[in-house]
Amino acid sequence: MKNYSNIIIRIFYIWILYVIYKICLDTFVIGISFTAKVIFVFIFLTAYILDLLDFTEQKFRIRHIIYFFCVDLFFATILFSLIRILGIFTSFAILFLSQIILKWTIQQFVMKRYRVLIFGHSERNGKIVRSLIENVQYEYIGFIAPEKSGEIQYLGSINELKKIIKDQKIDKIIITTENLLDYELDVLINLRVNGIEIVTYKEFNELIDQKIDITLIDKIWLIESLGFEILHNTTQQKMKRLFDIVLSVVLLIVTFPIMMITAVIIELSSKGPVFFRQKRLGLKNEEFEIIKFRSMKIHDQEEHSKYACEDDPRITGFGKFIRKTRIDELPQLICILKGEMSFVGPRPEWNELCYEYMESIPYYNLRHLIKPGVTGWAQVMYPYGMSVEDAYRKLEYDLYYMKHQDLMMDLKIVFRTVKTVLFAQGR
């Protein structure tokens, strides 16, 4: 189930800070100008890229304070260079303090915290507890099992479950035991009827890690699982296609000078064509030709690895730069306009690699039920893949995207991609 409470809280948070920002500029400067409003917008675009507007996934950390300080100081300096009034720094100091105080207050008192109990004892418990401790929305209370184990916070057996739930005010129970006895099922069903949220480890793992663990699913799960609206919701598909066309046209116009300069540098700096073309596997296993700026020297593909490593000698000097900044991906916008790709989706893999993965990775072919993308959930959540194991892990993120895709998720991926480009984290 989708939860948009984080979005509503972000809107509330930014609105309160804008009021504070306006009052400060009215008091210490000479009113809020159009330039000051633009700078405010850029402050929070930067904050979003730096994950400073996330109230659910992480606890408040010292690095958040440092980021806020650096962002506010940077934009205060820009505004001062334009207006030359020292009161600007006072205004931004108050804004900085308001940001961290309001964020901390929201995380402590506004965000709902779920008191969580683990039902059962398995090797998964340790991973779940670590995830709960890291997430501000959850408070780990303890676990129950047929008998006490060496773990801390053992609360008792199932016979004491109702009393434990009442005393500890439990909101959610995570089941880690795979084979439940009939009387255990009866107890848990009764608790669910009475308002206690019961989730399996499979569901919790998907919620926390934002991927679908392939080892935990089967064909029955694929049939019964909710979501995957991108596969059958024609309205959603049309909205996604409109999003693709608008964004790709805008980017082609904006980046056209960069693309022209890139093409000239590639032509002058190394022998070979400006563009790299290769067969990739797309929607419904149909092959198409991908277009990218060439970042490697001309070489025999049969004599080299199918994967590009960090210091691959085949990559040219300029190629390293355009791969880091993702400039080499820009010609793929043409593939989007042709309808062969989407802006957001699973990475289009070389067809030869795809055929290998289909034989060794379960459910790999599912990723071809939607169009491949220039960027995607797997690309922003997992590093560049250089093995079958990496392809396996990235598939888990691709399946999660397919299950939960909507316009808001696509926008989230686009912003995370912008962050990757700005910090040159690509390869």
Side-chain angles (χ1 to χ4, degrees):
M1 182 183 297
K2 300 181 185 299
N3 185 353
Y4 293 107
S5 61
N6 195 26
I7 298 173
I8 295 171
I9 289 174
R10 285 175 181 173
I11 295 171
F12 169 77
Y13 173 75
I14 294 172
W15 180 74
I16 291 295
L17 291 175
Y18 178 76
V19 171
I20 294 171
Y21 179 69
K22 185 178 186 306
I23 291 172
C24 289
L25 289 183
D26 287 342
T27 303
F28 299 105
V29 192
I30 313 176
I32 183 167
S33 64
F34 174 77
T35 304
K37 292 177 181 177
V38 171
I39 284 178
F40 182 84
V41 171
F42 274 99
I43 286 174
F44 285 95
L45 282 175
T46 306
Y48 183 88
I49 291 171
L50 295 175
D51 293 329
L52 297 176
L53 299 184
D54 196 338
F55 295 92
T56 61
E57 292 183 358
Q58 295 180 331
K59 291 186 175 180
F60 194 85
R61 303 182 187 281
I62 296 298
R63 64 180 174 84
H64 292 160
I65 299 176
I66 297 172
Y67 285 167
F68 273 130
F69 178 80
C70 293
V71 169
D72 291 342
L73 180 61
F74 174 75
F75 284 105
T77 304
I78 290 177
L79 193 57
F80 176 74
S81 67
L82 297 173
I83 301 179
R84 298 287 180 178
I85 298 176
L86 286 174
I88 286 169
F89 289 101
T90 303
S91 300
F92 275 83
I94 295 173
L95 178 65
F96 163 70
L97 291 174
S98 302
Q99 283 172 323
I100 57 176
I101 292 171
L102 185 57
K103 182 176 173 68
W104 180 86
T105 302
I106 288 173
Q107 288 187 320
Q108 295 300 315
F109 303 106
V110 178
M111 292 300 299
K112 177 174 175 56
R113 292 184 62 116
Y114 296 93
R115 294 172 64 84
V116 180
L117 179 72
I118 296 177
F119 183 91
H121 176 263
S122 74
E123 58 185 16
R124 299 167 178 168
N125 284 30
K127 179 179 182 298
I128 293 175
V129 172
R130 288 191 296 273
S131 297
L132 290 171
I133 291 173
E134 284 293 310
N135 196 296
V136 72
Q137 281 192 292
Y138 300 102
E139 182 180 355
Y140 172 60
I141 304 302
F143 77 101
I144 66 167
E147 57 184 22
K148 187 175 182 179
S149 70
E151 296 183 55
I152 59 173
Q153 291 178 277
Y154 172 76
L155 300 178
S157 67
I158 191 169
N159 296 325
E160 305 166 90
L161 182 55
K162 289 184 178 179
K163 182 178 185 302
I164 292 169
I165 288 175
K166 182 178 179 181
D167 293 344
Q168 299 291 340
K169 299 179 180 177
I170 302 297
D171 300 298
K172 186 190 296 279
I173 296 176
I174 302 170
I175 302 172
T176 59
T177 302
E178 293 183 357
N179 299 313
L180 294 172
L181 300 174
D182 287 342
Y183 82 94
E184 292 175 329
L185 284 170
D186 290 339
V187 172
L188 291 172
I189 289 171
N190 184 55
L191 290 172
R192 171 169 280 177
V193 170
N194 285 283
I196 302 297
E197 186 176 356
I198 312 289
V199 298
T200 63
Y201 171 73
K202 186 187 302 182
E203 295 168 324
F204 182 77
N205 181 71
E206 181 180 329
L207 176 67
I208 292 295
D209 293 338
Q210 296 183 297
K211 64 179 184 178
I212 294 175
D213 191 334
I214 298 175
T215 62
L216 300 177
I217 66 176
D218 53 28
K219 294 178 181 179
I220 298 298
W221 179 88
L222 290 170
I223 294 173
E224 296 179 345
S225 184
L226 298 176
F228 296 101
E229 293 183 17
I230 190 175
L231 302 180
H232 56 78
N233 189 321
T234 55
T235 301
Q236 195 160 312
Q237 291 170 357
K238 289 176 182 177
M239 289 180 61
K240 185 172 175 63
R241 179 61 182 154
L242 179 62
F243 174 80
D244 288 339
I245 293 173
V246 171
L247 189 56
S248 56
V249 168
V250 170
L251 285 177
L252 276 171
I253 295 171
V254 172
T255 62
F256 182 74
I258 297 174
M259 294 174 71
M260 292 299 293
I261 294 170
T262 301
V264 171
I265 294 175
I266 293 173
E267 179 69 30
L268 297 176
S269 62
S270 63
K271 294 181 180 180
V274 170
F275 297 105
F276 167 76
R277 300 172 185 270
Q278 190 181 63
K279 291 290 184 182
R280 300 288 173 100
L281 223 55
L283 178 66
K284 298 179 181 178
N285 289 336
E286 292 184 4
E287 293 186 355
F288 72 99
E289 190 174 62
I290 200 171
I291 309 172
K292 301 172 70 173
F293 281 121
R294 181 174 57 83
S295 59
M296 287 187 172
K297 302 170 185 175
I298 299 300
H299 62 276
D300 187 347
Q301 293 183 348
E302 299 296 328
E303 296 180 1
H304 293 81
S305 170
K306 296 177 181 178
Y307 304 99
C309 59
E310 183 73 36
D311 298 312
D312 199 310
R314 295 172 293 175
I315 302 175
T316 65
F318 185 62
K320 291 180 181 179
F321 169 74
I322 61 176
R323 289 168 76 97
K324 282 285 185 184
T325 55
R326 301 290 180 91
I327 291 175
D328 65 321
E329 310 274 1
L330 290 177
Q332 292 179 60
L333 296 172
I334 298 171
C335 297
I336 295 175
L337 289 177
K338 290 167 64 178
E340 296 168 335
M341 293 179 62
S342 178
F343 200 90
V344 180
R347 176 186 174 86
E349 294 287 1
W350 185 17
N351 55 357
E352 293 190 18
L353 281 176
C354 281
Y355 296 135
E356 292 180 14
Y357 293 154
M358 287 179 197
E359 294 179 1
S360 57
I361 302 176
Y363 310 115
Y364 188 81
N365 204 33
L366 291 176
R367 72 197 300 275
H368 298 133
L369 292 175
I370 62 174
K371 292 179 183 178
V374 175
T375 186
W377 189 238
Q379 288 95 302
V380 299
M381 295 295 289
Y382 195 87
Y384 183 85
M386 295 186 293
S387 66
V388 175
E389 176 64 23
D390 288 335
Y392 185 101
R393 297 303 168 199
K394 295 188 84 168
L395 175 61
E396 295 180 323
Y397 289 106
D398 287 333
L399 291 178
Y400 179 88
Y401 171 75
M402 292 171 64
K403 182 177 180 180
H404 297 278
Q405 186 277 336
D406 62 8
L407 184 58
M408 292 305 301
M409 187 171 189
D410 281 359
L411 288 173
K412 180 178 181 179
I413 292 169
V414 169
F415 276 107
R416 289 203 179 191
T417 303
V418 171
K419 177 182 175 181
T420 299
V421 172
L422 291 177
F423 289 94
Q425 296 172 337
R427 184 188 296 181

